[in-house]
Amino acid sequence: MISGCYLDHLYDLVETGTVPEAVLDEAALRILIVKLEAGLFENPYTDLDRSANVLLHADHRKVARDLAARSLVLLQNTGGVLPISSSAKKIAVIGPLAEAKAALRGSWSIDGDVSAIVDVASGIKAARPDAELLVESAQADLMVHYASSADVVVVVVGENPIRSGEANDVAEIVLPPGQEELLDAIARTGKPVVAVVIAGRPLAIPRVLDLAAAVVYAFHPGTEGGNAIADVIFGRVNPSGRLPITMPRSTGQIPVYYNRKSTGRPYMLAVGGVGFPYRDIDAAPLFPFGYGLSYTTFSYADLRIACSDVGSDGMVRVSATVTNTGACTGEEVVQCYVQDTVSSLTRPVRELVAYERVSLAPGESRDVEFTLGAAELGYSGRDGKHVVESGAFTVWVGGSSAADLSASCVVGGCA
């Protein structure tokens, strides 16, 4: 990423002594060490046939499918539309990205076999060979026609990679033109609508939530994306993905992020307090960091904290009881957040410091414990050194950054 800088100027800079030759030697040595450790001097030639036995290997595709399915985030499931019932015999799979392949792998996938990517329509067809599929990704009027005669409609919307990649900014981070209008027309048919969003960034999609009964945020699920999406929407995989970002309600709400600094002028109304909300929209994000639904439900209780000096052996132990309160087995991502309540430098209102995935059967409870030490409770001070200050900390445990189960403790500090 240095353009022509070195090529055009480095030789003259070394010749004139502006850049010492020792600096150039050190830079070259680092590269040679990496090549030596990689074994390139002993085996300088690659096996040209090896890639044929490795790329797109069935075992690798299975891992890609499993990981993609676990990464999908279920944002909404009104009326339990998902998973799609086996009684749905006619399924419309429509939308501009219903048969898209490259969009599933994102904008920074320079190489790769696009033909090997499983698009959403193909994944659904493979998952439900018994159903009649009505697939259309180009003609809007035909999409509406198919939707009107289907038992359930899967609408695949989102961004083409050329729109969301590097140096492709947009002034409004909403769906591309025409997609909300398409969803509106589909919703008017009265058929249950499942919206699948393919995008590499958080989009402001409040209108999508109004128009679709269920919304799955797929990001860029990769080569096996179509199969993974089918696994989730038909219930073969219970969704367990959680948002790694905060989703805004509108472009004007940006920047919005969960670990903002504490301030005397909060932008959200606190309970019983004073804040400075927006005049025209809810100040809370559309979805908080860490959010995600499942086909089951979870509850949290009995948060316990044991504190000590956070020195070489000291730590804070946090535990809570998580219970599957739903009717099917599910995987929950238990998240632990902390706030240094009073500190020398302003600290975030809360920070994610630990998480754990736990699989629970219906009715099953489990105690989940986190051990927090200096790395989790400290920060870089004004002198650039890591420090944990003595004082009060607040701890939250729950299913997202909006978790309300909390407790406080006082710990000793360490430098």
Side-chain angles (χ1 to χ4, degrees), residues 340 374 377-383 385-390 413-415:
D340 188 346
L377 301 177
Y379 65 94
S380 295
R382 287 190 176 90
D383 59 1
K385 296 181 179 179
H386 189 81
V387 61
V388 178
E389 296 181 327
S390 301
C414 71

Side-chain angles (χ1 to χ4, degrees), residues 130-212:
D130 61 308
E132 179 183 354
L133 255 61
L134 307 172
V135 180
E136 178 59 37
S137 57
Q139 302 289 331
D141 51 353
L142 188 53
M143 294 183 204
V144 176
H145 174 69
Y146 282 168
S148 63
S149 62
D151 297 320
V152 64
V153 186
V154 179
V155 186
V156 190
V157 294
E159 295 185 298
N160 187 286
I162 63 169
R163 171 183 157 105
S164 62
E166 181 182 11
N168 286 293
D169 297 334
V170 291
E172 301 287 336
I173 55 167
V174 295
L175 288 175
Q179 294 191 15
E180 286 189 5
E181 290 81 356
L182 172 64
L183 278 166
D184 183 72
I186 299 302
R188 291 174 184 272
T189 66
K191 298 304 177 70
V193 176
V194 177
V196 177
V197 183
I198 307 294
R201 56 182 163 195
L203 300 177
I205 55 169
R207 185 63 177 147
V208 176
L209 300 176
D210 293 337
L211 297 171

Side-chain angles (χ1 to χ4, degrees), residues 14 34 50 94 109 132 165 218 243 270 291 309 322 326 354 357:
V14 173
V34 171
R50 184 182 179 188
I94 60 178
S109 300
E132 179 183 354
L243 288 176
Y291 178 88
D309 288 350
V322 186
R357 281 180 173 264

